[in-house]
Amino acid sequence: MIRLDILSDPICPWCYIGKMSLDTALSGRDLNPFQVAWHPFQLNPDMPAEGMDRTAYLEAKFGGPDGAKATYGRIEEAAQAAGLEVRFDLIRRTPNTIDAHRVIRWAGVEGRQGPVVDQLFHRYFVAGQDISDREVLVEIAHSAGLDGDVTRRLLDGDADIADVRAEDARAREMGVTGVPTFLVAGQYALPGAQPPQTWQKVIDELTAPQETPTH
């Protein structure tokens, strides 16, 4: 298996689109060569713990209502082209994602990161749920096969907050400025939401039979 490290934030729409494109590419190939590991990168590391009103956040980030509307119009088109249903209209607040990243980290111990990440994306972008809410995170953990009671106790404390922030900081020190960023075999970086065709080419190259040199 080839290691695929994915730097992502569960409130990043391009991360959701990028994962869907990867999944689409893999569904069209007989062999999945990747062992995936998800890593934290907070789009808004200074976001208040309680989050903030999403409309106010987007307008501040994109230069007013027109900028926010234009930016998210393009994102919605890209999501639909990737085969995703998104309901931005249901999202009321932009959350702080430190706790979501902690749950993803704990899921890695159990080999359950994929289901947790899928649930985080779905609940935020499709159901419009607040993925900083502890009860939502406990439900996600439980549905992905983790112990909900243990997850709740961990969330009530500060377990791994420093580690998540340190891993985020290391990514920035490596030069990562946005997500998604895909690191293939610890050597090659693919930034952004790559289309399925790009991933199909990568997969085909990685799984092609190696020619034995002749002398």
Side-chain angles (χ1 to χ4, degrees), residues 17-95:
I17 294 167
K19 184 183 186 301
M20 183 62 179
S21 294
L22 173 60
D23 289 346
T24 298
L26 288 170
S27 70
R29 292 296 182 268
D30 294 331
L31 182 64
N32 177 359
F34 297 124
Q35 179 182 3
V36 176
W38 292 84
H39 302 277
F41 188 98
Q42 281 195 282
L43 291 177
N44 311 294
D46 299 320
M47 176 69 67
E50 67 277 11
M52 64 182 295
D53 177 80
R54 184 170 184 271
T55 299
Y57 164 75
L58 292 179
E59 291 180 0
K61 184 172 184 176
F62 296 112
D66 291 342
K69 184 177 180 180
T71 298
Y72 265 77
R74 291 192 294 271
I75 292 171
E76 192 159 7
E77 288 177 5
Q80 290 172 352
L84 289 173
E85 174 194 5
V86 290
R87 290 294 307 273
F88 294 128
D89 58 305
L90 297 180
I91 303 172
R92 297 289 177 249
R93 297 188 67 76
T94 299

Side-chain angles (χ1 to χ4, degrees), residues 184-211:
V184 182
Q187 297 179 346
Y188 309 104
L190 283 173
Q194 300 293 330
Q197 296 89 337
T198 298
W199 280 114
Q200 287 168 349
K201 183 179 178 182
V202 170
I203 294 164
D204 290 345
E205 290 176 356
L206 292 172
T207 57
Q210 299 298 311
E211 294 185 5

Side-chain angles (χ1 to χ4, degrees), residues 126-197:
V126 181
Q129 294 184 6
D130 181 356
I131 57 170
S132 67
D133 183 282
R134 296 277 168 88
E135 290 306 314
V136 171
L137 290 171
V138 169
E139 287 176 11
I140 289 172
H142 178 72
S143 70
L146 304 180
D147 188 310
D149 292 334
V150 171
T151 301
R152 180 181 284 104
R153 288 197 297 271
L154 289 170
L155 285 170
D156 286 342
D158 58 3
D160 289 339
I161 289 178
D163 290 332
V164 168
R165 287 178 175 157
E167 193 171 359
D168 183 304
R170 283 195 298 273
R172 296 172 198 273
E173 290 166 4
M174 289 168 50
V176 176
T177 58
V179 287
T181 295
F182 302 86
L183 302 176
V184 182
Q187 297 179 346
Y188 309 104
L190 283 173
Q194 300 293 330
Q197 296 89 337

